[in-house]
Amino acid sequence: METPNFNLNTEIVEKGFRLFAEKMGHPTQVIQMMEFDLPKYHDIPSDNVFLEILASPIDYADLLNIRGLYGTQPPSFPLFTGNEGIFKVLAKGPDVKKLDIGDIVFINSYGLGTWSSHLTLHETAVVKLEQPIDIVSGSMLRVNMFTAYRMLHDFVKLNNELIVVQNGATSHVGQTVIQLCKSMGVKTINIIRQPQLSETYNILKKMGADEIVTIEHTDNVDMKKIMSDLKKNSWFDQTKVVLGLNCIGGVYSQIVENLLACGSTHVTYGGILKKSMEASISSLIFKNIKFVGFLINKWLQDNNNSKFYDMMLHDTTKLIHNGSYFRPPFKCFPLSQYKSVIETFHNDRAHSILPYRIIFTKNINFIQHLATIVAKL
Amino acid sequence: METPNFNLNTEIVEKGFRLFAEKMGHPTQVIQMMEFDLPKYHDIPSDNVFLEILASPIDYADLLNIRGLYGTQPPSFPLFTGNEGIFKVLAKGPDVKKLDIGDIVFINSYGLGTWSSHLTLHETAVVKLEQPIDIVSGSMLRVNMFTAYRMLHDFVKLNNELIVVQNGATSHVGQTVIQLCKSMGVKTINIIRQPQLSETYNILKKMGADEIVTIEHTDNVDMKKIMSDLKKNSWFDQTKVVLGLNCIGGVYSQIVENLLACGSTHVTYGGILKKSMEASISSLIFKNIKFVGFLINKWLQDNNNSKFYDMMLHDTTKLIHNGSYFRPPFKCFPLSQYKSVIETFHNDRAHSILPYRIIFTKNINFIQHLATIVAKL
């Protein structure tokens, strides 16, 4: 019954393993690993592909979701965890036409459980990468890179005379914003929370940050000083600051707000401080600043298969492909080390200067090479 | 030298008087009355009209402006006070073609000092009322009625299946929102701060309020109770609550936010509590609620002479003309009583159940009839 289109062309393994949460709770307590039988080729539905993990990152939102703290609806349990990643097509059903064995794909749908050694998915749940790109960066396309890209394209028409201000500049979205803006000729003002260590400063500068503003004492933010420092740049003109990006909240959101021009847009895509966003009545009424939110899952749900999607995929993968994209610091672990990895995630996140990303991958042998691997298509 | 177009057809008076603020400060301390010589006909520029006051209201924003608390830029002093009103054309220059002596006009531009017995203005600063309307209601077209109208037309396309929620329902804008929504078949949920006295309740109901929610204890707002009360209405469906209007701030703004559907718009047009507006991260990101501000002066500046302006003027004056518009409670005073009027304004405003409007007019004889006068054109 073997069909010509179906061919398991790698080493034969019979067991897969994946992470899941049995119930809502703290990730260190509720995440478990399960072993499962890999499907026989004749069990794979004809329009499905059988995939092997290359890289799947932990997003902060993934962990919040397991705790029931992400979104307005609590998630259903048991929950397969992980929401993005790069996989390799090991086999495909006979009706799959657009993908081939050996293709490198990334997972485009939400909630499929990408912290898994293997996945069997409908062909429409994955997107083939058309050009060779760094796997580490590519594994983070869907959540952080797409979020950065959309926020720079959907709210204000940017051009090389305009300025974007963001807090959370050291986050992966923040780093991507800096680099996308650089490629568009748009200036960025980057507000960071940590003391301005030369390491952080140099990395962000290398990525293309035009100005970095460090806030050490939140009780007494000196807007006059910030403004006068900004004015030392010949390119700075407050009427050009048309877009503000906020993922922190509290006083960091207000600094973004204060720097914005009349008629600009303030986009919230996260709330690390877990506080409501405050907007002054004056900004709303007299400066006509719009305060909106952005969620990539919602956008992808509404715009899948659109020309905007294709342009975004093209532009972001091209940036990685060109080698001009600085990926964030990262550490790779096999899925089997999930307990210690997740346990230290929160602490590391809170204390690291430039937060590194944690990426799950297949096994330890693969990891040793991952940093230098570029997917060959 | 008398021209045929120029004819002072009322009793001859030689002196006018107007209110002005010499410097920034509390209105009760800095507002003064000045007497001035009325222009001789040959002094009136050829494209100007010479006007006599019928009614000019005090807006709360007028008093804030004198204190330097309104807007982002401090006003210039001395400042001629008052920003809207209905006037009668007493005379006109020879080049004025679109207006005639006896026409009833309202002042369309900001900052012209309408708390004045007479004004000499360029013809483009006034708009002729094309149908007879109640003077009291008409004098408040420009600020409050236009604000209500625009907020219901510029953010969400409303239809008779949709619901608007507002706080500050007892304000004049709030009352107008209720009545405009009623005329459009749009349901309104109205949040009020005072204890639900039957007087207030009955007036708002008579105007067309579909639901009135009273918040007496702001420390402990019971959203579950509010929601369950709302669900008793067969028309209530939270997914239909597409527009929220906020002029209070604080917890009253949050109640509006909590009642809004996904993808809706929250418009702030005032901030009585003088607090920043808070928006939850969840509303921004997961409910995709937009938080925006609205200022009628800005809109009029940008849209004067547009078809949208003409439609707005037509629709609002028609509502008054038809006799189906309930004007807010009001008291009339001659300009000469300005000291006591302004002194009691703040107290009355704070303590009255349904805030009454204060309207300046020509003299006491005129006032006695004003309540029943309908402008004859």
Side-chain angles (χ1 to χ4, degrees), chain B residues 152-165:
Chain B
L152 298 176
H153 285 80
D154 291 355
F155 297 100
V156 176
K157 195 164 168 48
L158 294 171
N159 64 47
N160 62 11
E161 298 224 316
L162 299 175
I163 304 169
V164 169
V165 54

Side-chain angles (χ1 to χ4, degrees), chain A residues 3-10 39-42 44-52 88-94 96 99-103 118-121 123 126:
Chain A
T3 72
N5 282 329
F6 190 88
N7 176 24
L8 205 71
N9 71 347
T10 56
K40 307 293 179 209
Y41 65 83
H42 49 76
I44 297 176
S46 63
D47 50 5
N48 273 219
V49 285
F50 177 60
L51 308 169
E52 180 185 52
K88 186 175 183 178
V89 179
L90 291 191
K92 65 175 190 171
V96 173
L99 296 169
D100 279 316
I101 290 165
D103 279 352
H118 300 81
L119 285 171
T120 305
L121 296 179
E123 59 175 323
V126 305

Side-chain angles (χ1 to χ4, degrees), chain A residues 71-72 269 277 279 284 286 291 293, chain B residues 71 277 279 282 284-286 291 293:
Chain A
T72 48
Y269 65 97
M277 190 214 60
L284 284 159
F286 299 109
F291 294 82
Chain B
M277 190 213 61
S282 168
L284 284 159
I285 298 181
F286 299 109
F291 293 82

